Amino acid sequence: VTGLPDVVVVGGGLIGAACAYELSCRGASVMVVERGPEVACGCSYGSAGLVGPGIALPLASPQALREALRWLGRPRAPLRIPPRPALIPWLARFALACRARSFRRAREALAPLGWESFRMHLAYAQAGLEVGLARRGVLMVWDTEAGLAAGREELRDTGEKATFLGPREAREAEPLLRSPVAGAALVADAAHADSARWTRVVIQAAVAQGAEVRTGVEVRRLVVRSGRTEAVETDQGVIRAGAVVVAAGASSRGLLAGAGVPIPLEAGKGYHLDLEAAVQSKRPVYLRDSHVVATPLGAGRLRLAGTLELSGMETSVDERRTTAILLAADRSLAGVAGLPVREVWAGLRPCTADGMPVIGAVDGIPNLIVATGHAMIGFALAPITGRLVAELAAGQAPTFDLSAFDPGRFGRSRRRRSPAGGVG
Ligand SMILES: Cc1cc2nc3c(=O)[nH]c(=O)nc-3n(C[C@H](O)[C@H](O)[C@H](O)COP(=O)(O)OP(=O)(O)OC[C@H]3O[C@@H](n4cnc5c(N)ncnc54)[C@H](O)[C@@H]3O)c2cc1C
């Protein structure tokens, strides 16, 4: 007897995988419901693959706001915001979250989660999960002196172990780099992996602990009655649940809104291009000024990832933007533009209006747990998110203070009565 309820996890991305694993390791009976034909078919399929405490920074920051204003209206810039009236309240709230004080508070709330999650990533690999984690650090590179100065300040503030390198040393550290770069920093506490493989392996590990995975099943509605989630209604029938975890990525908004839980969540489209590269970079290279990451994923695959586009729930590929990623990478990494392209992909990051994840039980519905909104840092934070969710499901006090991640922070739930007499 574990004291844990039967849990339905909605979403088989890396957050759902980590929740399923941590829950089943504690003895819960878990069912993952994924609408796609297989797990890891959403955003988690194509991330840049970086994990580490220095990756786990808030999306909203004074620098993000400065860059957003500079890039407005430029179709090839790393950020694109096509005008859309429905986006205005989200943007207004995001701009407020970019203030220096809000950013500092958010960073302080995230930092302990980032460090613990990194430790857990290493522990998963050490425990024999074949997640393919390579602990080689990350090389951050700046083209401009201004960028380098801001980067120095950021790394000092986060207390990360970083070795700063001049242009020549940077090229010695990474022979693929071409001049001119202003400088670089080798950040030791970082690792990388293919996030799709990671998700599949972690879900398999949950299955080995007794979890069940149902793919090709879409959750249409959460069935909430008298302050409890009783079931999820799917396109293939109703599944009863002792607790429900919503880890449906960018689609979580609609499901939660249906249960009277308003989360201002927008899809932040990102792209990757997988190139066939006989010669790989030694470790991930994060081109900080152009916001492009080049990650060596092994088997001759070099992934270029970047861009944030607030264009709603659609995954079409805009060639101007993939070309911009390729050219930005080619400016710093020799020969990249000439490499054969194996795959071009676009996926939707779940982005909240305050740039922070949502991790917590819903006020008034204690067995409805939300785990989404991780935007650019979902991979870095997946293990700790899973553990926090498992603690909440077991009715334990979570390891960390979750007030900054509370689903209720965006306003009171306005639950309404459903025609069936339930709530939802
Ligand atoms: C280009 C790019 C680079 C990135 N690089 C990094 C990085 O280096 N480091 C990092 O930490 N993060 C990175 N990220 C962010 C990271 O990938 C995301 O934060 C993470 O994948 C989000 O995972 P998720 O499980 O919440 O969402 P998803 O992976 O989207 O999973 C949600 C799943 O729920 C399913 N689903 C949705 N609705 C329903 C429903 N109604 N019923 C059933 N199933 C449903 C979907 O099909 C999907 O599989 C990057 C993202 C992008 C796009």
Side-chain angles (χ1 to χ4, degrees), residues 10-16 33-36 38 40-51 55 195 217-220 247-252 255 268-272 305-307 345 347-350 371-381:
V10 186
L14 50 83
I15 298 296
V33 181
E34 165 57 53
R35 72 179 168 197
E38 55 189 0
C41 63
C43 187
S44 305
Y45 175 77
S47 86
L50 302 187
V51 304
I55 308 302
S195 56
V217 178
E218 179 165 22
V219 173
R220 298 246 166 98
S251 300
S252 303
L255 279 178
K269 198 200 292 185
Y271 294 94
H272 81 219
T307 282
W345 169 90
L348 304 177
R349 305 175 182 93
T372 189
H374 293 74
M376 306 239 196
I377 58 177
F379 195 19
L381 290 186

Side-chain angles (χ1 to χ4, degrees), residues 239-381:
I239 304 171
R240 302 201 70 75
V244 172
V245 177
V246 177
S251 300
S252 303
R253 180 182 189 152
L255 279 178
L256 289 164
V261 184
I263 307 281
L265 193 71
E266 283 292 331
K269 198 200 292 185
Y271 294 94
H272 81 219
L273 294 96
D274 279 354
L275 308 177
E276 255 178 70
V279 182
Q280 301 251 318
S281 57
K282 286 189 179 172
R283 56 178 66 78
V285 179
Y286 189 169
L287 304 168
R288 294 296 302 268
D289 291 319
S290 53
H291 293 268
V292 169
V293 181
T295 308
L297 287 177
R301 189 161 52 122
L302 181 69
R303 172 166 297 171
L304 305 180
T307 282
L308 185 85
E309 195 177 314
L310 294 168
S311 47
M313 294 292 292
E314 56 83 25
T315 52
S316 62
V317 170
D318 179 342
E319 259 186 49
R320 289 173 304 181
R321 306 189 61 69
T322 52
T323 306
I325 291 174
L326 196 59
L327 293 181
D330 191 63
R331 268 199 305 280
S332 305
L333 299 170
V336 158
L339 295 173
V341 178
R342 239 193 237 182
E343 179 178 81
V344 178
W345 169 90
L348 304 177
R349 305 175 182 93
C351 301
T352 59
D354 64 0
M356 292 283 272
V358 186
I359 309 168
V362 171
D363 187 26
I365 320 177
N367 70 340
L368 175 57
I369 301 170
V370 184
T372 189
H374 293 74
M376 306 239 196
I377 58 177
F379 195 19
L381 290 186

